[in-house]
Amino acid sequence: MKTRYTFGGDEHIFVEMDEEMSLDAFFKSLSMTNAVRAAQIDGVTEVCPANASFQVKFDPDRIKPDDMLTELKALEKVAEKAEKRLNTRIIEIPVFYQDPWTHETLMRFRERHQDPEGTDLDYAARINGYDSAADFITAHHSSPWFVSMVGFVAGLPFLYQLVERARQLEVPKYLRPRTDTPKQTVGYGGCFSCIYSVRGAGGYQMFGITPMTIYDPAQATSYLRDFMVFFSPGDIVKWKPIDRAEYDATLADVEANRYEPLIKEVAFDLNAFNADIDGYNAKLMEALHGV
């Protein structure tokens, strides 16, 4: 991986670890953003991380752009030696696949889709070599996912599948974005899954919906009283398929502040993961369910 530095005017530097998303690129980006914060460079006003990159905003009256670039390149050497371990949490997220609300929405926007005759799941299954939408759904929820970024829309997580690259699901975005997407839709675009934190425009394929609130600016939801955004970069997610009855029951619990997400603290080790991906994922599942 060769890091690319790009100036954004005279008060931003964009740092890209790699053109492709990978866990190695994510960990290097994470190490660099941590190093930038720890260095407390005079003039830095904001550090904004993304999937395999980050952007630094700084005051050019306090530090010259070229001097800022020199500081960042020096910190890259520190990041390359950083341990690829992360203390994080694994979370079970319920998903009602093939729900009526995203189905109604996707049918309203078929003229913007690559396959106007089918559904988003039918299309995703076909281009990924699966015989049915049910087989694709199984592939989507059977392995854990890594939250590599939160943002674009407030509270929206981007999730990267924890399997070998050859097994990763890939689905392009709509040909033209929709003007509507239900709140808490589980979507897919490129190599990323996501949860739409609010209702609005979107271009990701729609597979289902979760009853679990993930963004609450009023912080009225019981598990969001400490912070309005549920996810953080580094979180690990396991999708749990549910039916309509469980969706309705869970939604009622969320709205009544009775719901508590299943969360366990774990340490993620990238080297151990790469050495035995399926075995490591099995251990993550054991940690989640207390086996």
Side-chain angles (χ1 to χ4, degrees):
M1 295 184 293
K2 178 159 179 68
T3 305
R4 182 166 64 184
Y5 296 84
T6 307
F7 286 108
D10 61 357
E11 58 182 27
H12 294 89
I13 295 180
F14 177 65
V15 186
E16 186 178 32
M17 304 300 124
D18 200 336
E19 291 183 352
E20 294 184 347
M21 172 59 194
S22 69
L23 289 176
D24 287 290
F26 169 82
F27 268 85
K28 185 176 178 181
S29 177
L30 178 66
S31 296
M32 282 197 71
T33 55
N34 288 340
V36 171
R37 293 188 182 100
Q40 296 184 321
I41 303 167
D42 184 46
V44 171
T45 57
E46 187 176 5
V47 182
C48 183
N51 293 307
S53 61
F54 66 95
Q55 182 168 274
V56 175
K57 183 179 181 182
F58 57 94
D59 182 350
D61 291 330
R62 293 165 61 188
I63 181 169
K64 295 178 181 178
D66 286 340
D67 292 340
M68 186 70 243
L69 180 60
T70 299
E71 293 275 5
L72 292 177
K73 287 184 174 180
L75 291 174
E76 182 179 357
K77 295 180 173 61
V78 175
E80 289 172 345
K81 298 176 182 178
E83 190 176 33
K84 295 181 179 180
R85 287 176 57 88
L86 181 68
N87 291 322
T88 186
R89 55 186 186 164
I90 183 167
I91 308 157
E92 186 173 78
I93 303 294
V95 183
F96 181 17
Y97 290 97
Q98 295 179 301
D99 67 281
W101 307 285
T102 61
H103 181 78
E104 184 278 330
T105 304
L106 67 88
M107 295 308 293
R108 277 193 282 127
F109 292 95
R110 293 325 287 167
E111 81 283 356
R112 304 183 183 212
H113 196 274
Q114 294 89 341
D115 182 9
E117 303 303 317
T119 67
D120 291 10
L121 272 166
D122 292 335
Y123 172 70
R126 177 168 56 80
I127 67 171
N128 280 276
Y130 291 95
D131 293 333
S132 67
D135 290 338
F136 181 87
I137 289 170
T138 297
H140 186 261
H141 72 68
S142 60
S143 59
W145 296 71
F146 193 91
V147 177
S148 56
M149 170 183 165
V150 179
F152 184 73
V153 174
L156 185 152
F158 289 80
L159 301 109
Y160 182 77
Q161 195 176 21
L162 291 177
V163 295
E164 298 91 338
R165 186 174 290 274
R167 292 166 52 195
Q168 286 180 346
L169 305 172
E170 291 192 25
V171 189
K173 296 188 290 185
Y174 276 41
L175 297 175
R176 289 187 294 128
R178 301 176 301 274
T179 56
D180 189 25
T181 307
K183 178 183 176 182
Q184 290 158 209
T185 289
V186 175
Y188 210 109
C191 69
F192 293 106
S193 201
C194 80
I195 304 173
Y196 282 79
S197 53
V198 297
R199 183 177 182 178
Y204 277 25
Q205 310 285 336
M206 294 182 289
F207 297 161
I209 198 163
T210 178
M212 187 177 149
T213 299
I214 64 166
Y215 172 64
D216 180 8
Q219 294 180 245
T221 306
S222 57
Y223 54 87
L224 292 175
R225 284 176 179 155
D226 291 334
F227 192 53
M228 68 180 71
V229 172
F230 180 74
F231 289 104
S232 298
D235 282 342
I236 298 170
V237 166
K238 177 62 172 66
W239 307 115
K240 176 191 176 185
I242 59 174
D243 59 16
R244 176 63 187 267
E246 189 170 355
Y247 174 89
D248 289 342
T250 303
L251 182 62
D253 285 344
V254 171
E255 292 176 343
N257 281 328
R258 294 189 300 262
Y259 184 73
E260 287 298 327
L262 178 59
I263 302 173
K264 295 294 177 64
E265 300 295 322
V266 294
F268 184 83
D269 186 314
L270 181 59
N271 291 329
F273 170 80
N274 285 333
D276 180 12
I277 292 176
D278 288 339
Y280 199 88
N281 284 343
K283 291 179 181 178
L284 287 173
M285 295 305 97
E286 290 173 4
L288 177 64
H289 295 289
V291 178

